[in-house]
Amino acid sequence: MDQLDVNDESVIKKVANDVGLNGNRILELVYGEAAQQAAVAALAEYEQFGCPGVPTWIVEGERFWGKDRVDWVTEKVKQLVIRNS
């Protein structure tokens, strides 16, 4: 494992470029107005739904909290896809 610091902009740029993405553009988008608005909206929803921590997923009003709930979220989404097919 490379033990890279994912909070370091140079690491983000390098990894993005290494996989064929434009690292400079990604950083521009991260610091842009749209990203700021999305973050504010996400935090408002987080508070609205009374999320106890991260990660929390809300699917059709049902709250799934914690990394050990990923399988439950996956199953719920599969059921929705089947129901709406």
Side-chain angles (χ1 to χ4, degrees):
M1 186 174 277
D2 292 334
Q3 301 297 318
L4 300 174
D5 181 359
V6 297
N7 296 305
D8 183 328
E9 289 181 12
S10 65
V11 171
I12 294 168
K13 190 184 314 185
K14 180 188 179 326
V15 170
N17 290 334
D18 287 352
V19 298
L21 301 172
N22 183 331
N24 287 325
R25 181 66 179 135
I26 288 173
L27 289 174
E28 287 173 15
L29 291 169
V30 165
Y31 290 111
E33 182 65 27
Q36 290 176 350
Q37 290 174 358
V40 168
L43 287 172
E45 283 188 289
Y46 183 86
E47 289 181 10
Q48 173 191 350
F49 287 107
C51 297
V54 175
T56 299
W57 298 272
I58 308 293
V59 181
E60 288 200 323
E62 187 175 349
R63 185 174 63 189
F64 299 89
W65 175 62
K67 65 183 181 181
D68 57 334
R69 301 297 191 259
V70 173
D71 291 339
W72 295 6
V73 173
T74 303
E75 187 58 35
K76 176 76 173 187
V77 171
K78 284 180 183 176
Q79 292 171 4
L80 290 172
V81 168
I82 291 169
R83 185 176 74 199
N84 294 319
S85 295

